[in-house]
Amino acid sequence: MSASESAGGEITSLGNDVLLAFIPLAENPEWTEKLAKKFKGLQIRWVKSITPEHTIVKPDDLPAETWDGVTLLYTFLPPRIELIPKVRFVQLTSAGADKWPGHPKYQDESVVFCTSNGSHAPQIAEWVIGAWLSHEHGFRRYAENMKTAHWESPFASNARDSTAQRVGILGYGAIGRQCARLASALGMEIYAYTRSERSSPKSRKDDSYCVPGTGDPDGLLPSKWFHGAAREAVNDFLAQDLDLLIISLPLTEETRHIISHEQLALLGKKKAFVANIARGGHINQDALIQALESGQIRGAALDVTDPEPLPADHPLWKAPNLLLTPHVSWKTDSLGKRLLDILEQNLEKLATGQPLINVVNRKLHY
């Protein structure tokens, strides 16, 4: 752990606060020094939440003095309430807050929670479109051929380009919007699904953190919008002859197993490809395995499973036409800069009484 305390600075309203950055990044001394100068009196502590062996550091693993007096917290995992009695602001490194419901601090409406939604969108969208293109052009087949030095006849396999294929994006937030941007560049038709209706141009705008030059800030890319919380509304969306379904919505009790036997049957009309980069609980995995084994859908790509890590004997490992990665789509060397940028923006807004970005809706948990 390292600590820094300002002797100067421009903003004084955080002068009695202690910030703990408990995040999967090594400390950035330049950023820490800049923050200390900007916020007079703010004490900054930084603990990397990943060990040299690439395992997660739990909140209880930290020395008690690390938590002493902390009022501002940047974290992913929820610490016990006994460790953070004075915390009044929580910035999450994740795009959702599904780890926090039930926590006393989360239930305290006076404590502000914000996510890092938007910081993960560019890299996750690339993972999605990369998996899609790999499947449509048979890259995995050719990778296997390389192992045996087999030069396959170019007439022995088929490939499909993306032009005029239809992508349905289930959850049109920051990640979904960047997926739409990339898919649009490939000539795909975009259908968007949101929980609430987005009937006006104003309602279709994105108010979350956005990396410049990315996403769909004004909501102009979808040719058709769908909405609703009921399964009937979701089914109507899935019945739109989709070639690619991207699952990019938060996990709540409402969205758990939002894709199951009935929904996969609807996607079977065009033998859609299913990409899930949200949470493993969105898909009934037994139903997905059946759909893959029977050829009901053309393939799938999962960066998330239920549970995680996925047991070695789980049948998903052997499902055909499936790409499975260990929850890594969020990773990029650029993430650290974005996470610190969101935190700095929100600290300044908190200090000056401005509306914060990515404030969590406590009912929807995102």
Side-chain angles (χ1 to χ4, degrees):
M1 181 185 77
S2 64
S4 173
E5 188 162 358
S6 156
E10 303 171 355
I11 301 173
T12 61
S13 56
L14 301 183
N16 295 320
D17 282 293
V18 178
L19 167 67
L20 174 59
F22 183 41
I23 58 180
L25 303 170
E27 183 180 6
N28 182 326
E30 292 182 3
W31 181 87
T32 303
E33 183 178 354
K34 180 180 70 170
L35 211 67
K37 288 180 178 179
K38 177 180 285 189
F39 301 106
K40 183 178 180 180
L42 174 65
Q43 185 180 147
I44 304 166
R45 301 172 188 165
W46 188 312
V47 178
K48 187 176 181 180
S49 60
I50 303 296
T51 70
E53 293 75 32
H54 310 295
T55 59
I56 296 174
V57 178
K58 305 290 180 59
D60 280 338
D61 295 336
L62 305 186
E65 58 267 23
T66 303
W67 297 101
D68 187 35
V70 171
T71 57
L72 313 174
L73 178 62
Y74 201 5
T75 187
F76 172 65
L77 293 176
R80 290 184 293 109
I81 183 62
E82 292 82 4
L83 297 175
I84 53 172
K86 297 181 179 180
V87 164
R88 66 186 184 96
F89 168 73
V90 179
Q91 179 79 54
L92 302 175
T93 59
S94 55
D98 54 288
K99 299 284 185 184
W100 285 82
H103 193 284
K105 281 292 178 182
Y106 192 77
Q107 295 173 337
D108 183 351
E109 293 290 339
S110 68
V111 180
V112 180
F113 276 76
C114 296
T115 72
S116 292
N117 184 36
S119 65
H120 316 90
Q123 61 270 33
I124 291 180
E126 289 185 14
W127 185 98
V128 169
I129 298 302
W132 159 254
L133 293 176
S134 176
H135 181 273
E136 294 297 274
H137 290 271
F139 288 171
R140 294 179 67 188
R141 174 186 178 130
Y142 299 122
E144 288 299 312
N145 287 347
M146 287 184 67
K147 295 177 181 179
T148 57
H150 174 53
W151 185 276
E152 184 179 88
S153 167
F155 305 105
S157 61
N158 296 319
R160 286 169 286 204
D161 62 69
S162 299
T163 305
Q165 294 204 62
R166 181 176 295 160
V167 54
I169 303 176
L170 189 59
Y172 203 63
I175 294 169
R177 288 168 187 256
Q178 179 62 5
C179 289
R181 188 183 185 100
L182 299 186
S184 179
L186 295 174
M188 301 185 77
E189 184 179 23
I190 315 297
Y191 279 14
Y193 187 95
T194 57
R195 185 182 189 277
S196 57
E197 186 175 7
R198 306 293 180 93
S199 58
S200 67
K202 182 179 179 180
S203 68
R204 292 178 177 179
K205 290 181 179 293
D206 184 18
D207 61 357
S208 61
Y209 176 85
C210 185
V211 177
T214 70
D216 181 20
D218 295 318
L220 301 178
L221 293 177
S223 60
K224 197 168 182 180
W225 291 72
F226 296 77
H227 72 277
R231 289 299 165 97
E232 292 78 12
V234 174
N235 289 350
D236 179 50
F237 170 68
L238 299 176
Q240 301 299 311
D241 293 332
L242 303 179
D243 294 289
L244 167 61
L245 173 69
I246 301 171
I247 303 170
S248 58
L249 74 173
L251 181 63
T252 66
E253 286 307 311
E254 195 175 75
T255 64
R256 183 171 295 278
H257 282 191
I258 196 169
I259 303 297
S260 192
H261 296 279
E262 182 181 6
Q263 291 71 36
L264 289 163
L266 293 171
L267 292 169
K269 291 172 61 179
K270 288 287 294 289
K271 291 186 178 294
F273 185 88
V274 177
N276 185 13
I277 46 74
R279 291 290 184 267
H282 285 121
I283 298 180
N284 177 335
Q285 292 174 164
D286 291 338
L288 178 65
I289 291 169
Q290 290 180 25
L292 289 168
E293 290 178 342
S294 67
Q296 187 176 50
I297 60 175
R298 69 181 80 170
L302 305 180
D303 186 49
V304 288
T305 62
D306 186 16
E308 293 181 8
L310 191 68
D313 60 352
H314 198 286
L316 264 179
W317 288 112
K318 296 182 179 179
N321 296 314
L322 174 67
L323 172 66
L324 191 60
T325 60
H327 207 150
V328 295
S329 64
W330 58 274
K331 298 198 70 174
T332 175
D333 291 345
S334 301
L335 180 60
K337 181 180 182 299
R338 296 170 191 159
L339 290 177
L340 296 181
D341 185 39
I342 291 176
L343 176 59
E344 184 175 351
Q345 286 190 43
N346 267 342
L347 288 177
E348 185 163 344
K349 291 176 183 297
L350 183 69
T352 56
Q354 300 177 60
L356 279 67
I357 55 175
N358 293 350
V359 176
V360 173
N361 181 317
R362 296 297 225 285
K363 293 182 179 179
L364 301 179
H365 310 305
Y366 61 88

